[in-house]
Amino acid sequence: MEQEELRLDTVLKVKGLTKTFRRRGRCVSAVRDMSFSAWSGEVLGLLGPNGAGKSTTIKCILGLVQPDSGEVEVFGRDAMQHRRECLRMMSAVLEGSRNVYWRLTPRENVRFFASIQGRDVRRETERLEGLLHLLGLGDWVDVPAMELSQGMKQKTAVACALARDTPLIFLDEPTLGLDVETSIEMRGMIRHLAEVEQRTVVLSSHDMKVVQQVCDRVVIIEDGAVVVDDTTDNLISLFQRRLYRVRGSGRIDGETERQLREIFRNIGLPDVDDDSFLLEVEVARPEALYDLMDILRANGILVEGISQDEPDLERAFLQIIGREEGVRA
Amino acid sequence: MNWILLRGVFEKTIIMWRRYLFNSLSGLATMYIVFCLLFFGFRSVGAAIDVGDTVEGLVVGYLVWVLAIMAYSELSWSVLNEAQAGTLEQMYLSPFGFHWVKAAHLLSTLVLQLAMAGVMLLLMLITTGERLSLDLFSVLPLLLLTVAPVYGVGYMLGGLALVYKRIQAFFQIVQFIFIAFLVVPPGGSPLVQFLPLNLGNHLLRQVMVGGASILQLEVVDLGMLLLVAAVYLAAGLLVFFRCERVARRDGLLGQY
Ligand SMILES: Nc1ncnc2c1ncn2[C@@H]1O[C@H](COP(=O)(O)OP(=O)(O)OP(=O)(O)O)[C@@H](O)[C@H]1O
Ligand SMILES: [Mg+2]
């Protein structure tokens, strides 16, 4: 953590953010002492179940919700004290498809939101048109948003955020309610923003697949608190159980098992029947798979099939928030 | 005020107005029909009485009321509608600040509303056959100062609606309360002059019916008009700011 604090390319720093909603005598701790950072050019995912506090966190950063305590720095500036300056750097698509004027067309919306960001739309016609095309709205630029499909509306909202041309972009549930194809397009778009345009994207989602595919780093939030903050790759490999299931005919005798146990730590031999076997082996390094085969061959055991558990973030996520039975380290 | 912002907001207002031209014009038509009912009803009932300058007074009063309800509903309804539509939060994300975006919006709609009020005035004059003094140098500033308190009321109710959603039921009633403010005779009590629209309407009559120039009006009256405008605007904005704080605290800016 110390190391992270010193990074020069910190775009966003959140420290000790806390927000409790009090209404009608009810208290909801939406965000509790939350700290994380986002670095230049990365896609950071805020992952968490419904009600975890993702949207509230984003709104606190943007100044739409007043946090009880904590600090937010945007490009090294205190966002609460210099809200307007910081808003020059940030744009956002908030939850749902309600970020644009339904009576205006995508083109008109994009022009309006660019203007209220202070961008001279007359000089930027080409950029704005390019954006609309980039998002696949080319044929729809002149259709009032209310006549567009859910996906098109969402794309219009994203276009409006991009029209503001800010280095930091928040996307709250950008793929919610989109069909598979559109969702994939949206993910490609988000990668494009980070890789080609070097923007920093903070997105929230409870869809593990989306996060796994587009995010460089993940902050897992539960009950308003950060439970994990790590790179997506680390997180996956941390939970990657290279567990192989080997099926074959013949029996694994005591000697073979002894040899296997010398090399592999986690071995399971569930009983199947007399002349076939099922072997479960956790293989730490991929090369160890050769050793496994060598031992089986030396003992004259025929292998008929191998399968592997695919590791993914979903499992990691569920394990972290402890929803899966039989949590393994 | 930033030129780019102003241009963008004007552009949007004009597009919206044109796209919903039918709505915009049918609103105007409705108000004209109501005026005709008032006028012809008034004439048949008051046939025995000498109508005198009261018809002219009716025209001026109706003009003020039309402009007032257009200005008022633009503010109170649009804040609520945009909160419900989710665009309010986007306006709060403007680096110019919400209030400058809103100010640009109000300015752009005011220009359209003045144009529509002008058309309305023309229609009323043709219908009644009356003649009024239309010295723009006197009429325009008076008209603006007269409706300024309405913006204060609009801010107040718009702000309250952000926090207490139920208040919108009250929105329409206020439009009719404005009529009461207009017709109370200003002489009765000095407090009456503090009502929105009241004193301004009275002064506008002096100019438009009596043919006076703004320079010939009592300085005390003009001062009072300014004061009333300033007090309502300040009070309205103050209430709005407070409600905005509550809305930020309770996360209500984007709630529907
Ligand atoms: N304006 C509000 N007033 C009261 N409570 C609120 C408000 N906004 C959010 N909450 C509560 O705060 C908690 C966090 O909500 P939030 O919307 O931030 O979660 P989320 O992670 O975005 O969930 P989702 O995945 O459903 O969008 C929830 O328990 C919610 O009920
Ligand atoms: Mg949310």
Side-chain angles (χ1 to χ4, degrees):
Chain A
M1 274 309 198
E2 274 309 303
Q3 221 178 349
E4 288 170 6
E5 303 249 328
L6 292 172
R7 285 183 63 150
L8 288 175
D9 57 347
T10 305
V11 166
L12 170 71
K13 198 163 112 187
V14 174
K15 224 169 115 187
L17 198 69
T18 300
K19 177 69 193 177
T20 301
F21 289 110
R22 289 183 181 77
R23 265 208 290 171
R24 295 184 206 102
R26 237 165 29 95
C27 279
V28 182
S29 283
V31 179
R32 293 185 291 173
D33 194 21
M34 180 134 27
S35 301
F36 63 89
S37 298
W39 301 310
S40 179
E42 77 171 346
V43 180
L44 175 69
L46 303 181
L47 180 63
N50 287 125
K54 306 177 292 290
S55 300
T56 308
T57 304
I58 290 175
K59 287 187 182 187
C60 284
I61 295 169
L62 293 167
L64 295 171
V65 166
Q66 178 72 41
D68 299 331
S69 57
E71 289 164 32
V72 174
E73 270 180 28
V74 176
F75 288 92
R77 298 213 129 208
D78 185 324
M80 320 238 177
Q81 271 167 27
H82 307 275
R83 186 182 288 153
R84 283 164 66 166
E85 276 152 81
C86 288
L87 284 176
R88 270 182 223 293
M89 310 294 183
M90 303 191 276
S91 56
V93 177
L94 299 168
E95 228 163 356
S97 57
R98 308 174 316 111
N99 295 272
V100 299
Y101 289 96
W102 284 25
R103 297 174 158 206
L104 296 185
T105 67
R107 181 183 272 144
E108 291 158 356
N109 266 301
V110 157
R111 285 174 69 89
F112 176 73
F113 286 110
S115 306
I116 67 168
Q117 189 73 18
R119 314 227 41 122
D120 188 348
V121 291
R122 293 214 178 157
R123 295 227 184 104
E124 300 191 16
T125 312
E126 242 166 80
R127 183 178 72 85
L128 298 180
E129 292 295 309
L131 259 179
L132 291 165
H133 280 91
L134 181 68
L135 279 155
L137 287 164
D139 296 333
W140 306 91
V141 288
D142 290 323
V143 180
M146 68 172 117
E147 290 166 29
L148 297 176
S149 67
Q150 179 75 8
M152 290 291 177
K153 278 182 194 137
Q154 181 71 358
K155 286 177 179 178
T156 307
V158 173
C160 289
L162 298 184
R164 295 179 160 207
D165 202 19
T166 58
L168 175 58
I169 302 164
F170 292 87
L171 302 172
D172 198 354
E173 302 273 7
T175 55
L176 194 71
L178 302 188
D179 62 25
V180 180
E181 202 181 325
T182 318
S183 171
I184 290 171
E185 270 174 44
M186 191 65 83
R187 293 177 223 171
M189 172 71 218
I190 295 168
R191 285 310 313 172
H192 171 89
L193 288 177
E195 283 164 21
V196 181
E197 304 197 5
Q198 282 299 304
R199 306 209 206 196
T200 309
V201 181
V202 177
L203 69 83
S204 86
S205 182
H206 51 241
D207 185 342
M208 268 68 71
K209 285 209 188 58
V210 173
V211 172
Q212 184 169 352
Q213 280 181 11
V214 295
C215 296
D216 300 301
R217 229 151 46 77
V218 189
V219 169
I220 299 182
I221 299 172
E222 206 205 358
D223 275 337
V226 175
V227 277
V228 171
D229 177 348
D230 208 338
T231 63
T232 313
D233 291 343
N234 273 350
L235 213 53
I236 291 172
S237 63
L238 186 67
F239 287 88
Q240 192 164 33
R241 300 179 302 162
R242 284 211 175 79
L243 186 73
Y244 289 91
R245 286 205 178 82
V246 184
R247 256 184 323 102
S249 53
R251 272 190 51 231
I252 293 186
D253 55 23
E255 173 58 18
T256 316
E257 191 180 334
R258 197 192 54 76
Q259 288 177 14
L260 286 171
R261 286 197 191 278
E262 263 177 22
I263 300 176
F264 305 101
R265 267 187 295 138
N266 269 326
I267 286 186
L269 268 172
D271 272 334
V272 194
D273 55 51
D274 280 349
D275 41 54
S276 66
F277 70 91
L278 180 64
L279 171 67
E280 289 176 352
V281 194
E282 191 179 314
V283 180
R285 299 163 294 116
E287 307 87 77
L289 206 52
Y290 295 133
D291 299 337
L292 175 66
M293 290 302 140
D294 288 346
I295 293 171
L296 293 178
R297 194 217 304 256
N299 288 282
I301 292 163
L302 198 62
V303 173
E304 286 169 350
I306 298 183
S307 61
Q308 188 194 10
D309 275 0
E310 274 300 324
D312 65 14
L313 197 56
E314 180 149 1
R315 177 167 286 131
F317 175 69
L318 290 172
Q319 285 190 11
I320 287 167
I321 66 174
R323 301 261 165 95
E324 198 181 50
E325 298 302 312
V327 177
R328 284 190 227 187
Chain B
M1 175 98 54
N2 182 285
W3 174 238
I4 288 173
L5 170 67
L6 207 57
R7 201 174 58 197
V9 172
F10 261 83
E11 192 180 289
K12 181 194 126 213
T13 301
I14 290 168
I15 291 170
M16 288 273 205
W17 191 80
R18 274 215 310 243
R19 184 149 306 151
Y20 294 88
L21 193 63
F22 182 76
N23 282 11
S24 321
L25 294 185
S26 65
L28 203 63
T30 311
M31 289 195 275
Y32 174 64
I33 292 168
V34 171
F35 174 78
C36 289
L37 291 176
L38 276 176
F39 171 63
F40 291 112
F42 188 68
R43 247 204 348 202
S44 61
V45 173
I49 323 161
D50 176 23
V51 176
D53 78 20
T54 25
V55 170
E56 294 160 310
L58 180 69
V59 171
V60 173
Y62 202 75
L63 176 73
V64 171
W65 186 63
V66 163
L67 194 61
I69 59 173
M70 284 195 291
Y72 159 77
S73 47
E74 189 60 49
L75 192 52
S76 53
W77 282 111
S78 82
V79 168
L80 194 67
N81 287 344
E82 297 218 23
Q84 283 167 346
T87 44
L88 189 74
E89 280 177 316
Q90 289 293 338
M91 285 169 77
Y92 270 97
L93 294 182
S94 164
F96 294 113
F98 169 78
H99 285 279
W100 285 110
V101 181
K102 194 79 223 161
H105 168 78
L106 291 177
L107 192 65
S108 66
T109 50
L110 178 64
V111 171
L112 276 177
Q113 289 159 0
L114 281 173
M116 288 199 280
V119 171
M120 189 72 194
L121 178 61
L122 205 69
L123 287 173
M124 290 192 292
L125 292 181
I126 293 170
T127 312
T128 58
E130 298 287 341
R131 287 173 158 264
L132 290 176
S133 154
L134 294 177
D135 164 21
L136 281 187
F137 170 76
S138 300
V139 172
L140 213 53
L142 273 183
L143 205 54
L144 292 180
L145 280 176
T146 304
V147 294
V150 166
Y151 281 96
V153 177
Y155 266 116
M156 217 176 280
L157 287 174
L160 288 171
L162 271 185
V163 181
Y164 311 100
K165 310 287 172 194
R166 300 256 174 88
I167 206 167
Q168 53 178 298
F170 194 58
F171 279 8
Q172 231 134 23
I173 300 172
V174 172
Q175 302 182 2
F176 296 102
I177 297 179
F178 285 156
I179 300 180
F181 292 162
L182 272 169
V183 297
V184 183
S189 143
L191 277 182
V192 172
Q193 299 197 341
F194 260 114
L195 296 174
L197 305 177
N198 188 283
L199 179 61
N201 181 43
H202 179 66
L203 296 181
L204 265 172
R205 271 182 189 222
Q206 288 183 19
V207 168
M208 294 177 76
V209 181
S213 148
I214 193 170
L215 301 174
Q216 293 168 310
L217 298 176
E218 297 273 351
V219 176
V220 187
D221 285 343
L222 283 178
M224 186 69 172
L225 191 65
L226 262 172
L227 183 70
V228 171
V231 166
Y232 275 94
L233 270 178
L237 279 170
L238 207 74
V239 170
F240 196 92
F241 287 143
R242 293 214 76 118
C243 292
E244 191 179 278
R245 272 237 309 271
V246 174
R248 273 213 169 92
R249 190 194 65 200
D250 293 347
L252 302 174
L253 288 179
Q255 283 225 333
Y256 46 101

